[in-house]
Amino acid sequence: MDQNSIADFVKGFCPEIKKYEAYYYGYPEIADELCELVLTGEKRATTSLLKLYELEQEPLPCAGDYSVILDSAQRPRCITRITKVTQVRFCDISEEYARREGEGDKSLAYWKKAHREAFSRECREECGIEFTEDMICVCEEFEVVYRGESENKQ
C-alpha cells in the first residue's frame, strides 16, 4: 500500500481530515465488490468484536472518525465518516442488523452460523480465544462523504 497515494487522496478531497484509517473490507478478492456496495450506499455497517479491540489495545471507533476505503489493488476509492457506533451481544443480533451487514438475503440463522465460524476461527488463530454468543459486536454505521473516480468508470 502506497501511503503517499492515500495521503494525497485525502488531501485532494478533504485537506482538513488529519486522522483516518485506510483499509479494505474482507478479503482482497472481494474488496472491489464491497467497495462498490459502499459507494452505492448499500453497505452501512461493519462488525468486529469488542474483545479483539481489547486484546489488541486499539481504541474503539467513534462517531466522526474517517476511513479511506481501498480496492483490491489497495488504491483509495472513497472516504467514509462514522455516524454512529453501537454495541450488541452476538446472541441479540436482529434480522435488521444482519440485513445491514449485507447478508439480508440469507436467513438470520445462516448469518449467525457463518459469522460464528469465522469469528471463532479468527479469534483462535489470531488471539487464542474462543468465540461465544456472549461476545459483543461493535457496529459502525457510516456515510460516504468523499468519493474518488473509479478507473473503471465509463
Side-chain angles (χ1 to χ4, degrees), residues 87-98 108 111-112 116 132-137:
Q87 296 180 28
V88 61
R89 289 197 180 279
F90 190 82
C91 57
D92 295 329
I93 289 173
S94 65
E95 291 281 0
E96 178 193 4
Y97 189 99
L108 183 59
W111 190 89
K112 284 189 176 185
R116 184 183 303 111
T132 71
E133 286 216 350
D134 283 335
M135 284 184 169
I136 296 173
C137 293

Side-chain angles (χ1 to χ4, degrees), residues 24 29 37-38 47 51 53 60 79-81 89-90 97 103-104 108-109 116-117 119-120 123 138 154:
Y24 55 76
E29 59 268 23
L37 289 174
V38 170
T47 306
K51 188 74 175 172
Y53 284 107
L60 283 171
I79 301 172
T80 66
R81 179 175 58 231
R89 289 197 180 279
F90 190 82
Y97 189 99
E103 295 288 351
L108 183 59
R116 184 183 303 111
E117 290 171 356
F119 280 139
S120 198
C123 288
V138 178
Q154 298 296 325

Side-chain angles (χ1 to χ4, degrees), residues 1-3 5-6 22-24 28 31-32 68-77:
M1 177 178 359
D2 182 354
Q3 292 295 335
S5 65
I6 297 169
Y23 62 94
Y24 55 76
D32 296 325
V68 180
I69 308 304
L70 310 178
D71 63 15
S72 59
Q74 297 191 339
R75 292 174 300 218
R77 284 290 178 252

Side-chain angles (χ1 to χ4, degrees), residues 37-86:
L37 289 174
V38 170
L39 286 170
T40 55
E42 295 178 29
K43 181 79 174 174
R44 289 296 179 205
T46 58
T47 306
S48 51
L49 294 178
L50 181 62
K51 188 74 175 172
L52 298 180
Y53 284 107
E54 293 170 352
L55 287 171
E56 296 176 9
Q57 298 183 342
E58 291 184 1
L60 283 171
C62 298
D65 287 354
Y66 291 93
S67 295
V68 180
I69 308 304
L70 310 178
D71 63 15
S72 59
Q74 297 191 339
R75 292 174 300 218
R77 284 290 178 252
C78 67
I79 301 172
T80 66
R81 179 175 58 231
I82 296 175
T83 57
K84 183 179 178 184
V85 178
T86 56

